[in-house]
Amino acid sequence: ARLFGHGDDDHPFWLLAVRVDVLLVLAACLVASAVALARLRRRDLARLRTPLLVAALLTIAAAVLRFDAAANLLDQGGIPYSRLLVGYRGNFAAAQAYSLVYAFAGRSIEHAILLDRLAGIATVPLVFALARSLAPRSLAFPALAAGLLAFSPLHAILSASDALSDFSALLCALAWTCLARGRALWTVAGLLALSLLTQVRYEDALLVVPAVVFLALRGRRLAAVLAVV
């Protein structure tokens, strides 16, 4: 409660489950990232220099556009404010994740929109990383995928509003990127992120389907390789 502050008292166990999931996603991503960084070698850094530079430039461009966008141009008030500031059943995830910042900065729609902007910005390098995982030898594909998102006017406007779509996109990109990495720690982080994604909006459960299909296909390929061996 000290970390997250006030929540929906009508559904305490549901709220607790979402809060635990938020912490587990953060912990799993930090552990998986630490292990990956520990395994990096100098030759890997040299090989990744250009992709990292491209990802950084696209992220900077995304930041400029999202902070330049007018604040809450699509102001809907009421329910959207509640979803971002407190949350309620089926829509707990964004408010509870943001509550880790609200605890220090204060719970206000201005802070919520600031966090939405940051979520929109952070989605760009995640999309780059996802595309890079799917096509490791290509630079054009991840640059194009992340560039389309970075320079999207609609995404920039939504990032500066009270919409939940930015946090959904962030979690979706995070989950899919983790799953695409293939290693056990990343897979755990991806599954935890997928479970949290279903608690942003009810319809976000549909975003779990492509990940399930991907895992099923990857499992079949692995089973076929093991059978041959």
Side-chain angles (χ1 to χ4, degrees):
R2 291 181 180 179
L3 279 176
F4 294 93
H6 176 69
D8 187 341
D9 295 330
D10 293 333
H11 304 88
F13 295 108
W14 194 340
L15 182 65
L16 177 62
V18 172
R19 288 176 170 179
V20 169
D21 199 357
V22 169
L23 296 177
L24 288 176
V25 169
L26 291 174
C29 288
L30 287 174
V31 171
S33 298
V35 171
L37 289 173
R39 290 174 175 170
L40 275 180
R41 298 178 180 178
R42 288 186 179 181
R43 62 185 179 188
D44 296 325
L45 290 174
R47 179 174 52 84
L48 293 173
R49 187 175 302 166
T50 301
L52 287 174
L53 177 60
V54 173
L57 290 174
L58 289 172
T59 303
I60 292 171
V64 171
L65 291 174
R66 278 143 191 78
F67 277 106
D68 185 60
N72 216 10
L73 189 63
L74 303 176
D75 187 353
Q76 302 177 61
I79 292 176
Y81 280 22
S82 174
R83 288 173 176 173
L84 281 175
L85 295 175
V86 180
Y88 51 88
R89 62 178 185 176
N91 300 101
F92 276 134
Q96 297 312 308
Y98 289 178
S99 289
L100 295 173
V101 177
Y102 295 154
F104 301 96
R107 195 179 298 269
S108 68
I109 194 60
E110 289 77 18
H111 289 143
I113 292 174
L114 172 61
L115 292 170
D116 261 356
R117 292 184 200 262
L118 295 175
I121 295 166
T123 307
V124 172
L126 284 173
V127 168
F128 186 95
L130 172 60
R132 181 78 177 173
S133 295
L134 297 175
R137 297 182 179 180
S138 173
L139 181 60
F141 175 53
L144 179 61
L148 287 173
L149 181 65
F151 293 100
S152 167
L154 179 59
H155 190 263
I157 291 172
L158 290 174
S159 295
S161 74
D162 55 9
L164 288 175
S165 55
D166 294 287
F167 190 70
S168 292
L170 174 67
L171 269 182
C172 182
L174 175 63
W176 290 4
T177 301
C178 290
L179 293 174
R181 299 282 292 178
R183 293 183 179 273
L185 283 174
W186 286 114
T187 300
V188 170
L191 293 174
L192 288 169
L194 279 180
S195 66
L196 187 61
L197 177 61
T198 64
Q199 298 303 307
V200 181
R201 300 176 300 182
Y202 287 111
E203 57 268 32
D204 285 347
L206 295 174
L207 298 174
V208 176
V209 176
V212 172
V213 172
F214 172 78
L215 289 175
L217 292 175
R218 189 173 70 185
R220 286 186 178 182
R221 287 198 299 269
L222 179 59
V225 171
L226 292 175
V228 170
V229 172

